Amino acid sequence: MLDAVGPDTTAAALRCGRLLARLRLTDACGRPLCARVRPPLVEWSAPARWPDPVADPAA
């Protein structure tokens, strides 16, 4: 699965020591996703700090 992480994100993750994945849990019809989830359904990033889900639930 980590082979789907882009090279810029990988480099940033190595620098900051974090790798964050965001993904939807349902498909476009509202059915649950299962098994392997690949981009664009999962978004990989390497944030400088972890997002605060309480302060910013959409983050």
Side-chain angles (χ1 to χ4, degrees):
M1 179 185 335
L2 293 178
D3 64 327
V5 179
D8 293 342
T9 301
T10 299
L14 289 171
R15 281 193 305 275
C16 73
R18 294 181 191 90
L19 181 62
L20 176 70
R22 294 176 189 254
L23 66 141
R24 297 177 65 97
L25 298 178
T26 58
D27 66 13
C29 296
R31 295 182 299 251
L33 290 174
C34 59
R36 188 170 168 172
V37 181
R38 305 282 298 174
L41 298 176
V42 62
E43 174 190 324
W44 293 97
S45 65
R49 63 179 183 78
W50 291 111
D52 182 346
V54 174
D56 187 4

